[in-house]
Amino acid sequence: MTVLRESPWYQEILQEGVAQGIEQGIEQGIQQERRGSLERILKLRFSEIPSEISVRIQSLTLEQLEELMATALTVNSLDEFSQNLPN
């Protein structure tokens, strides 16, 4: 096992795995930040957010969240916002 750990291939595979894990962690952190920002915008504009909207926001991709941030700033009501939520 020690010989395997010292091999250049093992080290390369290990480094690729670590780099991929770091990248995924960063993306998940950005996604969480966007979810929080979107909910803060909605709370500032419309007070309370119904739980069904919060639940739907939790399942959105980073791209969807970014698109919806602009929507949250321009809609006139939570009903109008929820109509723009992807299914």
Side-chain angles (χ1 to χ4, degrees):
M1 194 65 160
T2 304
V3 173
L4 176 64
R5 287 187 186 136
E6 292 175 359
S7 81
W9 289 337
Y10 178 83
Q11 293 301 319
E12 186 176 332
I13 291 169
L14 182 63
Q15 289 301 321
E16 286 177 14
V18 169
Q20 185 179 21
I22 290 170
E23 187 176 316
Q24 287 175 345
I26 289 170
E27 187 171 323
Q28 288 175 353
I30 292 169
Q31 196 169 11
Q32 278 299 106
E33 184 274 329
R34 293 294 191 281
R35 285 182 186 126
S37 294
L38 180 57
E39 288 193 354
R40 279 191 300 279
I41 290 168
L42 292 172
K43 285 179 183 176
L44 286 169
R45 294 209 57 222
F46 307 112
S47 292
E48 287 300 310
I49 304 171
S51 60
E52 52 276 358
I53 290 179
S54 284
V55 168
R56 289 176 66 189
I57 287 173
Q58 295 304 311
S59 66
L60 299 176
T61 66
L62 183 56
E63 293 80 20
Q64 291 170 322
L65 290 164
E66 288 176 353
E67 288 177 17
L68 284 171
M69 289 185 76
T71 302
L73 292 168
T74 59
V75 294
N76 295 314
S77 68
L78 274 173
D79 287 334
E80 189 178 345
F81 176 80
S82 66
Q83 291 172 4
N84 288 283
L85 281 170
N87 291 330

